[in-house]
Amino acid sequence: MLDGMSTTEEVPVLIRRSAARDRLVGTASRLFYGEGIRGVGVDRVMAEADVARGTFYRHFDGKEDLVRAYLEGADRQIRDGVAAVAKQISSPAGFLAAVAHGIGDEVCGAGFRGCPFINAAAEYPDPQNVIHQTVLRHRAWFREVLVDAFRRLGATSHEQSADSMMALRDGTMVAGYLGDAQRARAVLLHGVTALVAAR
Amino acid sequence: MLDGMSTTEEVPVLIRRSAARDRLVGTASRLFYGEGIRGVGVDRVMAEADVARGTFYRHFDGKEDLVRAYLEGADRQIRDGVAAVAKQISSPAGFLAAVAHGIGDEVCGAGFRGCPFINAAAEYPDPQNVIHQTVLRHRAWFREVLVDAFRRLGATSHEQSADSMMALRDGTMVAGYLGDAQRARAVLLHGVTALVAAR
DNA sequence: TCCAGCATAGAACGGTCTGTCCCTTTTAGG
DNA sequence: CCTAAAAGGGACAGACCGTTCTATGCTGGA
């Protein structure tokens, strides 16, 4: 668990690394996250990334593929962060508290605009859609991380504890975006503390 | 409080009621909620509502205005529901429980696709945007309803209790859409029960 | 009855979006 | 150094989008 390396898989052909590609994903991440996915055209992304049209379509099958790269980048980043915390903190209680602190700090950061996955799912509701499924995969993974931690903690019902923390996380993400981030952070930390204490 | 009539305000000119207008708002609500706002064009809405182009633009300033009508309709509906509950149940504990049950049932209903307001905010991130502000107004109202209830309940810190319940609500909305609705419902009911009991 | 106002039908507009294609220039590896 | 791949820079098509306009049909109230 927590390897953070299971969603890789790419076509065997190809490019995989390139300055232009990195610039595209970076710019797309900034714009998609900041202004919404459907609200930003690939023209905009290409222009701000200083990448020509042909180059874009050599690296990506189309916009959806770029969106997928954006979300998978965010996913990778979060998995790496969680893995780093897990490596550093062995106790499940400490791990959960650290994760909560990480989220709390995130929602209070400048430019926080909600959870990229929740937001993406709002724009791609079709369960069959690749992007929607990317969101579901990320969420399933994170839930499993929490279930595992509460199991190691010896919680009477790991699943319910994990779901409660998941709800607190999601609620904090929403409130951090559409309400008072400081209060949202406090609610999350307080709630997770209670969950861990209650076991 | 709970009057449910404070966000009305329309141009004094005008139409306000008409079969065509009602059909437009109804169709738009169904499509915007089910497929996302930016993913649905006004062409589609007009076609499925069997309303001509000119008629649409006589009733609405443009797409944004239609989106506003969609969200204000949802807002009105929720305010009416909350007002009905408040009228029926006098005790604050019973009121909060009833609200939680209402939300829990909602997320378990067929065709639930998340909170219309959270979803709309994901598509319209600009705080200056009319639609974004409509979302914020709805959320501010609902939070105030909760704060008031917890105050009447005699909670030591009304605000924190209200924010906790708000986080649970938001988390349940997200999880009901992107996870297991039954589990989300259980988490919400359990959490609100605890909040009310803890006072 | 007549007419004002609302609804309809349909064409047309400019703009933007995704995606394809072509050609030239730059870059990097053998 | 030479060549093949990558990147740049456009032009372009086709679709859709939101919007405006005109001409016409329908209906309810004075």
Side-chain angles (χ1 to χ4, degrees):
Chain A
M1 52 126 206
L2 301 187
D3 57 2
M5 288 293 155
S6 50
T7 35
T8 322
E9 290 214 22
E10 289 281 353
V11 218
V13 185
L14 65 108
I15 307 142
R16 205 180 246 295
R17 268 292 141 110
S18 111
R21 200 196 126 97
D22 288 351
R23 255 178 295 145
L24 280 170
V25 175
T27 305
S29 298
R30 179 171 50 84
L31 294 179
F32 288 161
Y33 181 68
E35 306 184 25
I37 298 171
R38 297 200 118 114
V40 174
V42 287
D43 274 336
R44 220 1 234 307
V45 176
M46 290 175 338
E48 297 204 18
D50 253 313
V51 167
R53 223 173 174 66
T55 307
F56 168 73
Y57 281 99
R58 187 160 336 105
H59 284 289
F60 299 95
D61 288 342
K63 186 182 181 180
E64 267 207 359
D65 200 28
L66 181 63
V67 177
R68 202 168 56 83
Y70 150 56
L71 288 180
E72 284 180 356
D75 175 80
R76 181 83 46 98
Q77 214 171 318
I78 292 170
R79 290 190 193 229
D80 290 351
V82 168
V85 170
K87 195 174 212 171
Q88 208 172 354
I89 304 176
S90 57
S91 86
F95 170 76
L96 288 168
V99 168
H101 270 88
I103 296 170
D105 292 347
E106 186 189 349
V107 304
C108 288
F112 180 73
R113 234 240 340 136
C115 170
F117 299 94
I118 294 175
N119 290 344
E123 299 203 64
Y124 293 88
D126 180 6
Q128 302 304 311
N129 184 281
V130 182
I131 292 160
H132 190 96
Q133 289 178 352
T134 303
V135 172
L136 294 184
R137 247 183 291 123
H138 172 79
R139 291 178 60 83
W141 163 80
F142 186 67
R143 179 173 183 274
E144 217 45 55
V145 169
L146 296 183
V147 168
D148 183 71
F150 277 105
R151 179 156 14 108
R152 286 186 291 132
L153 184 71
T156 51
S157 56
H158 345 121
E159 302 232 328
Q160 181 156 355
S161 296
D163 287 328
S164 294
M165 180 157 166
M166 194 80 182
L168 282 171
R169 182 214 98 111
D170 290 336
T172 301
M173 287 284 187
V174 171
Y177 169 37
L178 299 173
D180 187 309
Q182 293 293 339
R183 283 202 303 246
R185 189 185 120 104
V187 163
L188 174 68
L189 296 186
H190 182 269
V192 170
T193 302
L195 280 175
V196 169
R199 235 181 278 181
Chain B
M1 52 126 208
L2 300 187
D3 58 2
M5 289 293 154
S6 52
T7 35
T8 322
E9 290 215 22
E10 290 281 355
V11 219
V13 184
L14 69 99
I15 306 143
R16 206 180 245 298
R17 268 293 142 110
S18 112
R21 200 196 127 98
D22 287 351
R23 253 178 298 145
L24 281 169
V25 175
T27 305
S29 298
R30 177 171 52 84
L31 294 178
F32 288 161
Y33 181 67
E35 306 184 25
I37 297 171
R38 297 201 119 115
V40 174
V42 289
D43 275 336
R44 232 341 245 312
V45 176
M46 289 175 339
E48 297 205 17
D50 252 315
V51 167
R53 265 186 139 57
T55 308
F56 168 73
Y57 281 99
R58 185 153 344 99
H59 285 289
F60 299 95
D61 288 341
K63 187 183 182 181
E64 267 207 0
D65 200 27
L66 181 63
V67 177
R68 203 167 55 84
Y70 150 56
L71 288 180
E72 285 181 354
D75 175 78
R76 182 81 47 97
Q77 213 170 318
I78 293 170
R79 289 190 193 229
D80 289 352
V82 168
V85 170
K87 195 174 211 171
Q88 208 172 355
I89 303 176
S90 56
S91 86
F95 171 77
L96 289 168
V99 168
H101 271 89
I103 296 170
D105 292 347
E106 185 189 349
V107 303
C108 288
F112 180 73
R113 228 217 19 108
C115 171
F117 298 93
I118 294 175
N119 290 344
E123 300 203 62
Y124 293 88
D126 180 4
Q128 301 305 312
N129 183 281
V130 181
I131 292 161
H132 191 95
Q133 290 178 351
T134 303
V135 172
L136 294 185
R137 247 183 291 123
H138 172 79
R139 291 179 60 83
W141 163 80
F142 187 66
R143 179 174 182 272
E144 216 45 55
V145 168
L146 297 183
V147 168
D148 182 71
F150 277 105
R151 179 157 13 106
R152 285 186 292 133
L153 185 71
T156 50
S157 56
H158 345 121
E159 300 232 328
Q160 181 156 356
S161 297
D163 286 329
S164 295
M165 179 158 167
M166 194 80 182
L168 281 171
R169 182 216 99 111
D170 289 337
T172 301
M173 287 285 188
V174 172
Y177 169 37
L178 299 173
D180 188 309
Q182 293 293 338
R183 284 202 303 248
R185 189 185 119 103
V187 164
L188 174 69
L189 296 185
H190 183 270
V192 169
T193 302
L195 279 175
V196 170
R199 246 193 260 182

